[in-house]
């Protein structure tokens, strides 16, 4: 066992003394030492219920024959961090989380790790660490929150807070309504109720085989989640005995299956950042082009919020990810999982309990998958859009550019009534380097939806929350700060978007663009100190997953 490096032999007497000081009895010194890497925090509803799950994982570890040690990593709530300086830190925290886990697991020579996670950057950061360290690992995603209820309707975080703000601004709802919506939109612990980034990544963690069947959708407040936590604690002990490691599971088949399920569910566009980053740590190249290649073959079979009307609780009650795999059995590849069952064995055992929540592949909501990759002179390295959340009328669109050099400028214009149908809102210098940190643009996209501007598109070198709906195209690469064409767009320019043909074009002559390039001046970094400055110096483009490629 790895832990023998800290507990065996005469020269390790000081180490054993310290372990005894932390409470480890002599009788447990020969057990596998297992870390429970928890992102518990009171700051995030998706994580505030983790103390209970830590206990059940701990019980499982000791039942399975191991000895557990809880250690923690920080978490950032994208919803609370959004719309101000805090959002600069969200995506960069992914790399910090992976690095911190590496430090703890290697320094203490743990034999295995149970990762307890939930929200947007924490789950991918932990998966990156698991692939990098390659010690036996299993994931427990803490689960979605319950739907809210107000005036006889189910309510959810994005529609009933972010989009409600614009309705309030228009005078459609009053103080009383706004106050009650914000109080009921998040009624329990858990990740936000739709197929936003947190829940998308939880579903894909299960799809890749790194969590037990049912884990990705099991609700945070249900006893089912506690049972999964306990069973995961037991199972990590088996994984150590069987010497099954993340790289035995996180292979090309696992990542391809993840992309297929992502497309079939209509998941968050942020997966085009996270899956390539995790694959990079596993030594696998996952191209942005694969998302688009598969999107043309994989139908969209479940219509969850934000684009549809179903909630994560509906997906769980319909059979969860095992039922989704059953529908997609002809498209996915068989692969090993932490459960001891293969992907197709899980699919064969599954039952689909609701034919509308998880449709057959010959009766999909859309013939193509949820994500499309657009290219053109505006985005020669690619850009992404959640096409499953775009209306038919806006799949092809030509509009007039309204250009803003920050999210704040754009938000002021939208809320100030300066945007009208026929516009393309351009938000730039918000990419991985230019932001820095590639902020999410949920507030502007939700404001556009709430203001009922249904003939407006938004493009950015930043990114979007999984809660975004409508013709919102992000991850434009190269970004403005690196001299990308998005930095050359001017007010009044025409922009052409054709999602079926995968095109995004700035309708300006090459001669005019060359003239603008000669006059373009590389901007000074917005932030010149601390972690964000180091991040901006080393991060790669969104098309490569915004990884620290230069350091590897």
């Amino acid at each position: 066992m790895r832990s023998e490096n800290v507990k065996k032999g005469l020269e390790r007497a000081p180490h054993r003394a310290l372990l005894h000081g932390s409470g480890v009895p002599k009788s447990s010194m020969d057990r596998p030492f297992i870390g429970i890497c928890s992102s518990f925090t009171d700051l995030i509803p998706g994580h505030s219920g983790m103390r209970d799950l830590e206990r059940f994982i701990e019980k499982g570890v000791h039942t399975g024959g191991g000895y557990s040690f809880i250690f923690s990593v920080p978490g950032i709530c994208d919803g609370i961090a959004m719309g101000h300086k805090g959002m600069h830190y969200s995506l960069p925290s992914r790399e910090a989380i992976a690095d911190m886990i590496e430090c703890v697991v290697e320094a203490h020579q743990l034999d295995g790790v149970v990762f307890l996670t939930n929200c947007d950057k924490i789950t991918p950061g932990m998966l990156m660490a698991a692939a990098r360290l390659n010690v036996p690992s299993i994931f427990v995603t803490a689960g979605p929150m319950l739907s809210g209820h107000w005036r006889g309707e189910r309510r959810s975080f994005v529609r009933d807070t972010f989009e409600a703000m614009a309705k309030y601004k228009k005078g459609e709802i009053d103080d009383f309504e706004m106050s009650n919506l914000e109080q009921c939109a998040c009624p329990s612990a858990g990740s936000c109720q739709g197929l936003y980034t947190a829940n998308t990544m939880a579903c894909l963690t299960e799809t890749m085989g790194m969590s037990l069947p049912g884990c990705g959708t099991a609700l945070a407040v249900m006893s089912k989640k506690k049972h999964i936590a306990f069973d995961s604690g037991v199972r990590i002990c088996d994984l150590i005995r069987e010497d099954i490691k993340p790289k035995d599971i996180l292979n090309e088949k696992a990542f391809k299956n993840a992309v297929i399920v992502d497309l079939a569910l209509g998941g968050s566009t942020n997966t085009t950042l996270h899956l390539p980053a995790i694959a990079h740590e596993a030594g696998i190249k996952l191209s942005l082009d694969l998302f688009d290649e598969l999107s043309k073959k994989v139908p969209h079979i479940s219509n969850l919020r934000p684009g549809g009307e179903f909630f994560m609780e509906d997906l769980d009650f319909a059979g969860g990810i095992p039922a989704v795999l059953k529908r997609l059995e002809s498209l996915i590849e068989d692969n090993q999982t932490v459960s001891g069952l293969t992907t197709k064995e899980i699919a064969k055992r599954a039952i689909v309990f609701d034919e509308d929540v998880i449709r057959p592949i010959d009766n999909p909501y859309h013939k193509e998958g949820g994500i499309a990759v657009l290219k053109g002179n505006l985005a020669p390295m690619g850009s992404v859009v959640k096409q499953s959340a775009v209306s038919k009328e806006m799949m092809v669109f030509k509009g007039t550019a309204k250009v803003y050099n920050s999210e704040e400028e754009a938000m002021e214009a939208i809320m100030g009534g300066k945007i009208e149908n026929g516009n393309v809102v351009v938000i730039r210098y918000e990419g991985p380097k230019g932001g820095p940190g590639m902020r999410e643009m949920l507030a502007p996209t939700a404001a556009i939806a709430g203001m009922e501007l249904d003939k407006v598109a938004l493009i950015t070198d930043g990114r979007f929350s999984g809660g975004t709906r409508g013709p919102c195209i992000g991850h434009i690469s190269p970004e403005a700060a690196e001299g990308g064409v998005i930095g050359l767009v001017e007010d009044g320019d025409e922009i052409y978007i054709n999602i079926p043909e995968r095109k995004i074009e700035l309708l300006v002559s090459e001669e005019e663009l060359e003239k603008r390039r000669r006059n373009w001046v590389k901007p000074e970094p917005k932030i010149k100190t601390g972690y964000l400055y180091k991040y901006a110096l080393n991060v790669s483009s969104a098309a490569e997953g915004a990884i620290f490629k230069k350091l590897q």
Side-chain angles (χ1 to χ4, degrees):
M1 291 189 293
R2 280 163 46 94
S3 59
E4 291 181 1
N5 292 325
V6 299
K7 65 187 183 185
K8 290 292 184 181
L10 177 62
E11 68 279 10
R12 296 296 181 253
H15 305 62
R16 290 193 295 272
L18 290 166
L19 289 165
H20 290 319
S22 72
V24 181
K26 186 176 181 180
S27 59
S28 293
M29 202 63 79
D30 290 331
R31 292 184 174 214
F33 280 7
I34 296 167
I36 299 174
C37 178
S38 171
S39 53
F40 165 78
T41 172
D42 288 327
L43 285 167
I44 312 175
H47 299 239
S48 61
M50 285 183 175
R51 282 293 183 241
D52 273 354
L53 296 178
E54 289 171 359
R55 291 179 56 235
F56 280 87
I57 293 169
E58 190 174 43
K59 290 177 182 179
V61 168
H62 287 266
T63 299
Y67 193 91
S68 65
F69 301 85
I70 297 173
F71 68 97
S72 300
V73 295
I76 289 174
C77 178
D78 280 28
I80 296 173
M82 202 168 293
H84 55 87
K85 182 181 178 181
M87 182 47 74
H88 288 292
Y89 289 90
S90 177
L91 183 59
S93 75
R94 186 188 72 181
E95 320 312 302
I97 287 165
D99 290 349
M100 282 185 282
I101 294 167
E102 176 190 348
C103 291
V104 173
V105 173
E106 291 288 56
H108 297 90
Q109 290 291 286
L110 298 174
D111 297 304
V113 186
V114 182
F115 291 94
L116 177 58
T117 177
N118 215 17
C119 289
D120 295 30
K121 311 309 167 298
I122 300 98
T123 299
M126 288 189 179
L127 283 162
M128 289 165 67
R132 183 188 304 174
L133 291 163
N134 203 35
V135 300
S137 302
I138 193 168
F139 279 69
V140 178
T141 48
M145 66 172 62
L146 298 169
S147 59
H149 287 263
W150 172 242
R151 295 195 185 279
E153 295 181 23
R154 290 197 294 176
R155 304 290 181 167
S156 64
F157 171 59
V158 173
R159 289 200 190 173
D160 296 297
T161 57
F162 278 97
E163 293 183 14
M165 287 190 300
K167 293 180 179 179
Y168 178 87
K169 184 76 175 177
K170 288 177 66 180
E172 292 182 10
I173 59 176
D174 58 17
D175 288 333
F176 176 78
E177 192 72 9
M178 191 72 226
S179 175
N180 279 283
L181 286 173
E182 68 185 53
Q183 289 181 69
C184 78
C186 299
S188 71
S191 48
C192 304
Q193 305 100 323
L195 197 62
Y196 316 135
T197 307
N199 291 323
T200 301
M201 286 308 304
C203 290
L204 301 192
T205 301
E206 181 181 337
T207 299
M208 289 189 288
M210 290 302 295
S211 59
L212 294 180
C215 185
T217 59
L219 297 172
V221 295
M222 299 295 204
S223 58
K224 176 182 176 181
K225 183 63 76 177
K226 294 177 182 177
H227 302 162
I228 290 171
F230 177 87
D231 290 342
S232 298
V234 173
R235 183 60 186 157
I236 189 63
C237 301
D238 297 332
L239 293 172
I240 292 168
R241 284 189 284 266
E242 296 165 17
D243 195 31
I244 297 173
K245 299 174 181 175
K247 287 185 181 178
D248 297 323
I249 295 169
L250 293 174
N251 52 33
E252 289 184 358
K253 293 187 288 186
F255 287 105
K256 185 178 178 182
N257 287 344
V259 173
I260 288 170
V261 169
D262 187 16
L263 296 168
L265 290 176
S268 167
T269 53
N270 282 318
T271 58
T272 63
L273 296 171
H274 299 322
L275 289 177
I278 299 160
H280 179 74
E281 296 288 355
I284 295 167
K285 181 171 176 55
L286 181 62
S287 168
L288 183 62
D289 292 334
L290 180 65
F291 286 82
D292 200 53
E293 175 189 326
L294 291 173
S295 186
K296 295 171 183 176
K297 303 174 183 176
V298 177
H300 175 223
I301 62 171
S302 186
N303 208 24
L304 280 78
R305 289 195 176 199
E309 293 302 322
F310 294 119
F311 290 65
M312 285 301 297
E313 60 193 46
D314 299 318
L315 182 60
D316 187 52
F317 300 150
I321 296 305
V324 173
L325 294 175
K326 190 177 192 71
R327 292 294 202 208
L328 301 172
E329 192 174 351
S330 62
L331 299 173
I332 61 171
E333 296 189 50
D334 207 14
N335 197 34
Q336 186 175 11
T337 76
V338 291
S339 70
L341 299 171
T342 69
T343 309
K344 291 209 171 185
E345 286 173 341
I346 292 169
K348 289 184 188 302
R349 296 183 181 194
I351 301 172
V352 179
F353 292 104
D354 191 314
E355 296 285 322
D356 204 29
V357 174
I358 310 173
R359 286 189 176 182
I361 60 173
D362 59 359
N363 181 35
Y365 285 95
H366 300 96
K367 291 182 180 179
E368 292 189 357
I371 292 173
V373 177
L374 312 187
K375 292 186 177 181
N377 68 346
L378 251 176
M381 292 172 63
S383 61
V384 296
V385 61
K386 185 188 270 196
Q387 64 172 343
S388 58
V390 179
S391 67
K392 288 182 181 179
E393 294 75 21
M394 291 297 289
M395 294 294 279
V396 179
F397 180 70
K398 183 163 68 174
T400 305
K402 290 277 193 141
V403 183
Y404 305 97
N405 290 333
S406 71
E407 177 191 2
E408 288 82 358
E409 288 181 17
M411 193 65 184
E412 183 180 349
I414 296 165
M415 297 300 280
K418 296 179 181 178
I419 303 301
E420 57 188 31
N421 282 323
N423 288 156
V424 177
V425 177
V426 179
I427 307 178
R428 62 192 182 190
Y429 297 106
E430 290 286 6
K433 288 182 179 295
M438 204 179 181
R439 291 195 289 177
E440 281 187 351
M441 302 292 155
L442 176 57
T445 61
I448 288 170
M451 299 283 275
E452 297 179 349
L453 294 167
D454 57 357
K455 298 294 186 295
V456 169
L458 189 153
I459 69 171
T460 181
D461 54 8
R463 61 192 177 88
F464 297 118
S465 161
T468 294
R469 57 187 174 127
C472 302
I473 299 160
H475 306 202
I476 286 182
S477 298
E479 61 176 289
E482 290 193 303
V485 172
I486 190 173
L488 308 179
V489 183
E490 295 181 358
D491 281 340
D493 286 347
E494 283 196 319
I495 292 173
Y496 175 65
I497 298 164
N498 189 321
I499 296 173
E501 294 185 7
R502 307 302 200 252
K503 290 181 180 178
I504 180 167
E505 298 280 347
L506 176 62
L507 301 182
V508 172
S509 70
E510 188 54 43
E511 291 77 15
E512 174 63 20
L513 287 178
E514 190 55 41
K515 177 183 173 183
R516 295 181 189 181
R517 282 191 189 95
R518 288 194 296 269
N519 294 327
W520 180 77
V521 178
K522 186 177 178 68
E524 285 288 309
K526 294 178 185 176
I527 296 172
K528 298 182 181 181
T529 59
Y531 179 59
L532 290 176
Y533 181 62
K534 290 186 284 187
Y535 180 87
L537 290 176
N538 293 290
V539 70
S540 71
S541 73
E544 296 176 299
I547 57 174
F548 279 4
K549 191 176 181 181
K550 290 182 180 178
L551 299 179
Q552 301 192 29

